[in-house]
Structure formats: C-alpha cells, structure tokens
Amino acid sequence: MTNLSDLFPAGAGKQVSFTASGNVTSSGKPVILNSDGTVSEVGLSAAALDSVEGEFNDYSSSGANTNDTSSVRAVYNPDQDRVYFFWHYSSQIWYSSGTYNGTSWSFTSAVNSTVACSTAVGLNIDVAYDSSEQKGIIVWEDGTGYASRSVRAALLTFSSGTVTWVDAGTQIDYYSLLPSVASDNNGTFMVFWEYYPFNEANVTKGTISGSSVTYQSRVAVNSNGGYYSQYPAIYVAEKSRYLVQTHNSSGGVVCSVIEDNAGTTPTVQSNTNITNLTRSEAKSIAYDASAETIMVFAENGSTYPTVQACTFTGTNNAVTQVGSAVVLKSASVANQLYSLKSQYNSDAAQTFVTLSFSSTSTPSQYLVLSGTTPTISVSATDLYSDTTNTFQDLTAGPTGTGRTYIAVYGSQTSGNFVANDGYAQTYTMPVTNVTASNFLGISDAAISSASSGNITIKGGIASTGLSSLTPASDYYVQDDGTITTVSSDVKAGKALSATAINLEYQS
C-alpha cells in the first residue's frame, strides 16, 4: 500500500478502528499508517550514539596499521548499503567494508589493494561516490612527482565488499599535493589540491563516461591557498555549486565557490574571507540545506574549534557571514585535519561534528548543530571513554535513517580503541516518521501498543483532544507530532472551532 487513496476514497467515514504499533499516548495525536496496516503516533526517533560496534581493521590480523599518517577515510555506498573504509600503510592503499543493520556491524577482511601511495605526513587519500555512475572516485598521492608526492585520481567499482580500481589513475599534476574530491552525483567531480610551486589551491574537473574520465586543465582557486594544506570540499546540489575552504595570504580562512561549466574548465565564482577564523589544518565545511546555511569550521585565535555560518546564492555566488562565530568547545583542537570533521544529515536537518584535542588527556568528542546561527543542539559529549584523543572520518548513512557513520582510528594500547586498529561507530539523529502520504488522521483516545482504537481519518472532523485552535486557520503536522499553524509538508486541515479540525482529504 503506497497511498491512502488505495484504502479510503475521498469523503470516507470519519472513524476507523486500527491496531497500534507502539503506544498512542492520548486523544488528539496525529498518527501515520504503517505499511503493515498498523498505526503509529507521529514523533521523532531518539538520538543515540552506539557503543563500539565493530572493527573494520584488526592490525594483529591484517598487519596494516590504520594510523599511517592518519589517512582514514569512510564513504557510504547507497547502492549496496555498505560503508567502505580506506587508509594507507607501508606505501600502499588498504580497504575494508562493513554493513550495519541498525544494531550491529558485519565487516569484510582488510585487503591490500597494492596501489602505491605516498607515506608523507598528512591525509593523502580522499574518496567520493557517484550513484548515477555507480562508481567511486579515489584521489591519493602516488609517491612520484615533486618530493615523491603527486596526486592521482581513479575510478572504483564495488561488489559485495570488493573494490576494483578501474584504471591505474591519472596524474593530476607533477607538483600536486594533499587532494580532496567532491562529486555532483551526476557524473562530474572536482579534485582540489595544492599546487606546490606556488602553494596555491587548484581544482581539476573530471567527467565520467563509462569506465573512463575526461580531465580538464587545472584552475587556480585561490592564489594564496596555503602551504602543505588540504582543502575540504563539498557539492551543494541545491545551488549547483562546489564549496571549498582555502586560505588567504594573511593566514585567514576563505570560503571559495566553484561553478561547473559543461565540457569546459570550472569557474571560480568567489573567494570570501571568513573573519575570526585562522588558517590551520583543523578545518571542515558543511551545508545545511534546510537552513540554507554554509558552515565553515576552523580554529579561532585561541585555537578553539569554531564555526562561522554564511549564506550564498546560486545567482551571484556572494558569500555573506551570518552573525558571530560560535565556539564549539573552549579547548585547543589538534592541528590536524582529522581533528575537526562535519557531516550534514538531511533527514534530521542537523550537522554532526567530531572533535579531537591537542591534550592527550581529553577524549575525542561529538556535538550536533542546527539552524542559521548555528545552534548547538547537543553540546560536546565524549565520543568514547578512553582518555586519549583519536582520529575520525564521517560519512552520511542511508536516507531516512538519520545515521552518520564514524570511522575511528584506535589510539590506545587498551580500552575501547586499541592502537593501530580501525573501528566504526554510528550516531543516529532524531528523524520524524510522518510524510504527506502516510499521515492518516488524529486519534480519538489513547491506544496501547498491539491494541485497537479509533482514528478520525482524513475526510472526517477531529474533535477530541484538541484545544486552543483558531477557527478558519490552516493547521499542519510538525515533525515532532505537534499540530500548529506553521506550514509544513503535512497539512492536517482547517480549524472549524477551537476544538475541531476538518481533516481535509488529500490523496
């Protein structure tokens, strides 16, 4: 059953008895129709950080140290509902993968891909996934080029936990360092990297066609990019733009906007200095699509992890700071890319952030941000109980679950995260269960789970358990199960009186 019109025609009877899945706590509660024909009260799921759920790399078995210069990467493959983990050890790239069923992980064994990778200090690997092409894009330093460091990019295919390099990789430039990659999920991606002779941020565009890639010439993003620096980048589908964090010559942070041009090199639309943030390795960037807000993460002058909210348009590409910078934690963050990671979750319209600190007595922590300010909705909380900070990478989970997957490098000789091993955790954000198509109606009374009770369905008039309504006003169901006049995707109906709503039928 995919639509309520399959069950009830327009103008159907007012009250129908249903069996509840979970408690319906009282009368006047909006309910949804589940796929099995039961009903549930509208509400948000509970936020939860799982305990240590699994080990994607056991150093004692694989012989591959997950901590080789902290190049740990995680990427979610939605076509397989599987997370792939990449790291490099002893001049080669390793990988493993895992699936998560909501309570536990199942992992494949670690595999040495035998692909050569530089052992220079820094995050030398990045990975993205393109669902339209069902291929991954991996970028890495291959151990050749200037000072044995130059960037290569290659396509990946995935099959039940196995990763195949489609090609040996294209050298982006002889003088290229520290790559990152972002995909538009429609066959095009951008590789951001440091052009060593001038220490500037550059971008190279790749277009996927079957099993091959066409690369455009490099474009300088910001001539004052940095010095041995990686540039975190994302693609904003709502604005058809790439965002990348670069640097200026004064040691400040820059938010750069890149536009794709079909068949030609990309265009750098703007470079905007972000005040109150300082240049460091600790940096990240995210886009809150619900609040239409860019979140630029870096250190402030006190070396504390800080976020500055910004807005931009897809027409003139102007980036504008919104409000003051927000300090995430009054403690010095470690000066490494792994120490500050962010991942927006569209299901919950919130951004999950992980932090690692310069003090080895402070465990890594997480927090949650939302809104245009942004607001810290979950304050800094220990990611685990050990007393040494560690490394993380983040990737979004399946749509509709609110999950963010966390790759963690073990930094302890004992405790939760054993040294050199790789672990996976999951943070689940609150997600609503209501949609415009599954909203059924309003409860006439409390219903215990597995018991039956009446629901006033759409097309009827609900007049039990409601109060303080404004007659003739439209009312909407909110994600948390409240009914208000604030517009949402789920319309309840129009108030007929202070205690009654005409549940207007909408298929």
Side-chain angles (χ1 to χ4, degrees):
M1 173 181 317
T2 59
N3 196 295
L4 291 181
S5 61
D6 298 336
L7 184 61
F8 304 115
K14 170 181 170 179
Q15 294 177 318
V16 179
S17 179
F18 287 91
T19 300
S21 175
N23 294 328
V24 177
T25 56
S26 67
S27 62
K29 296 294 184 180
V31 297
I32 64 167
L33 178 67
N34 299 313
S35 59
D36 62 359
T38 62
V39 297
S40 297
E41 185 175 318
V42 173
L44 295 168
S45 60
L49 174 69
D50 292 336
S51 59
V52 179
E53 291 287 352
E55 191 174 46
F56 67 79
N57 177 44
D58 180 357
Y59 176 53
S60 63
S61 298
S62 69
N65 185 342
T66 312
N67 176 40
D68 192 13
T69 63
S70 64
S71 281
V72 179
R73 283 289 190 258
V75 63
Y76 177 67
N77 182 326
D79 298 304
Q80 296 183 2
D81 192 19
R82 182 179 290 270
V83 184
Y84 286 84
F85 306 92
F86 295 84
W87 67 98
H88 73 75
Y89 176 68
S90 188
S91 303
Q92 293 177 320
I93 298 175
W94 290 68
Y95 72 87
S96 63
S97 70
T99 57
Y100 183 71
N101 64 10
T103 57
S104 63
W105 285 90
S106 176
F107 295 98
T108 60
S109 298
V111 175
N112 184 351
S113 71
T114 71
V115 174
C117 185
S118 167
T119 58
V121 174
L123 287 168
N124 303 329
I125 300 173
D126 201 15
V127 187
Y129 185 73
D130 189 311
S131 286
S132 69
E133 299 291 329
Q134 294 192 329
K135 290 184 175 65
I137 306 103
I138 186 168
V139 294
W140 74 100
E141 292 182 7
D142 70 354
T144 63
Y146 179 82
S148 298
R149 300 179 70 178
S150 64
V151 173
R152 285 190 177 272
L155 295 181
L156 303 175
T157 57
F158 304 93
S159 177
S160 301
T162 300
V163 179
T164 300
W165 267 249
V166 175
D167 56 76
T170 298
Q171 188 179 63
I172 297 300
D173 193 280
Y174 187 79
Y175 298 98
S176 49
L177 307 171
L178 294 163
S180 61
V181 62
S183 168
D184 71 354
N185 211 31
N186 196 32
T188 300
F189 61 89
M190 301 285 177
V191 182
F192 297 90
W193 48 281
E194 181 173 313
Y195 184 49
Y196 177 75
F198 302 104
N199 304 123
E200 69 183 12
N202 272 230
V203 60
T204 298
K205 171 186 169 182
T207 304
I208 303 171
S209 178
S211 296
S212 63
V213 180
T214 300
Y215 291 95
Q216 302 293 334
S217 300
R218 67 178 179 87
V219 174
V221 177
N222 183 347
S223 60
N224 297 304
Y227 184 77
Y228 286 106
S229 182
Q230 192 174 45
Y231 311 106
I234 57 174
Y235 179 72
V236 179
E238 294 81 1
K239 304 293 185 180
S240 300
R241 299 289 189 272
Y242 292 83
L243 298 177
V244 58
Q245 187 183 149
T246 60
H247 296 142
N248 59 33
S249 59
S250 301
V253 170
V254 174
C255 181
S256 302
V257 179
I258 314 297
E259 182 180 5
D260 182 20
N261 294 311
T264 63
T265 56
T267 299
V268 180
Q269 293 289 2
S270 64
N271 284 301
T272 303
N273 293 328
I274 307 300
T275 59
N276 301 318
L277 299 180
T278 61
R279 180 167 68 191
S280 67
E281 288 305 304
K283 55 183 179 286
S284 185
I285 192 165
Y287 182 73
D288 185 325
S290 176
E292 296 188 330
T293 298
I294 304 168
M295 286 183 282
V296 183
F297 298 87
E299 295 178 11
N300 67 3
S302 300
T303 70
Y304 297 163
T306 304
V307 62
Q308 175 62 60
C310 304
T311 60
F312 83 118
T313 67
T315 52
N316 62 15
N317 303 283
V319 174
T320 304
Q321 292 184 204
V322 178
S324 302
V326 176
V327 174
L328 304 179
K329 172 82 173 182
S330 295
S332 294
V333 70
N335 188 32
Q336 296 289 338
L337 278 160
Y338 65 73
S339 66
L340 184 51
K341 293 286 186 178
S342 63
Q343 178 65 59
Y344 176 69
N345 188 284
S346 59
D347 300 321
Q350 294 180 312
T351 299
F352 184 72
V353 183
T354 54
L355 305 169
S356 289
F357 303 96
S358 57
S359 170
T360 56
S361 64
T362 305
S364 295
Q365 297 187 325
Y366 71 89
L367 53 86
V368 179
L369 300 173
S370 60
T372 57
T373 308
T375 299
I376 300 176
S377 51
V378 176
S379 58
T381 304
D382 287 355
L383 183 62
Y384 57 97
S385 59
D386 289 338
T387 56
T388 302
N389 64 82
T390 187
F391 316 145
Q392 305 94 36
D393 194 32
L394 306 176
T395 186
T399 300
T401 64
R403 294 178 194 157
T404 298
Y405 295 130
I406 312 165
V408 180
Y409 152 69
S411 59
Q412 300 288 296
T413 55
S414 63
N416 285 355
F417 298 103
V418 176
N420 305 326
D421 290 352
Y423 296 87
Q425 283 186 282
T426 307
Y427 185 81
T428 303
M429 293 185 177
V431 178
T432 187
N433 59 358
V434 68
T435 66
S437 60
N438 71 11
F439 171 59
L440 176 64
I442 294 178
S443 62
D444 290 346
I447 311 172
S448 298
S449 184
S451 299
S452 296
N454 283 342
I455 306 297
T456 300
I457 64 171
K458 292 191 291 186
I461 297 174
S463 58
T464 304
L466 301 172
S467 62
S468 303
L469 305 177
T470 301
S473 294
D474 289 330
Y475 278 81
Y476 300 85
V477 180
Q478 306 303 316
D479 288 347
D480 62 0
T482 57
I483 301 174
T484 74
T485 55
V486 177
S487 179
S488 75
D489 293 335
V490 184
K491 186 176 181 181
K494 189 181 293 291
L496 300 179
S497 69
T499 59
I501 292 180
N502 179 13
L503 299 178
E504 299 172 355
Y505 185 88
Q506 297 176 353
S507 63

